[in-house]
Amino acid sequence: MGRRLRVIGAWALLCGSLVGWPVSALTVAREEPPFILGLSWLAIILTSLDLLTSSQVHEEQGKK
């Protein structure tokens, strides 16, 4: 069950960061340069993709 929870958490982080990027750009980080804000969110998105990939690999190995 722990493996499945990690995959769900990784998906939640990915979706949350994809939604959070434009929301923060239009609200709290309006004064931030768009390129810098984009780089910050891109780092979170790439990390969540890495977490998702490794979580799915662990889940597949657990099934074998």
Side-chain angles (χ1 to χ4, degrees):
M1 185 65 180
R3 293 182 183 110
R4 183 79 178 137
L5 191 58
R6 277 192 294 257
V7 171
I8 292 170
W11 272 111
L13 181 61
L14 177 61
C15 294
S17 59
L18 289 174
V19 170
W21 184 353
V23 169
S24 69
L26 297 173
T27 58
V28 297
R30 189 177 305 182
E31 302 298 320
E32 190 73 25
F35 181 73
I36 301 300
L37 182 65
L39 283 178
S40 299
W41 280 104
L42 185 61
I44 297 170
I45 290 169
L46 290 175
T47 301
S48 65
L49 286 172
D50 183 41
L51 178 61
L52 179 62
T53 303
S54 60
S55 296
Q56 287 177 333
V57 167
H58 285 288
E59 185 177 25
E60 289 174 7
Q61 287 179 348
K63 289 180 182 178
K64 291 181 181 180

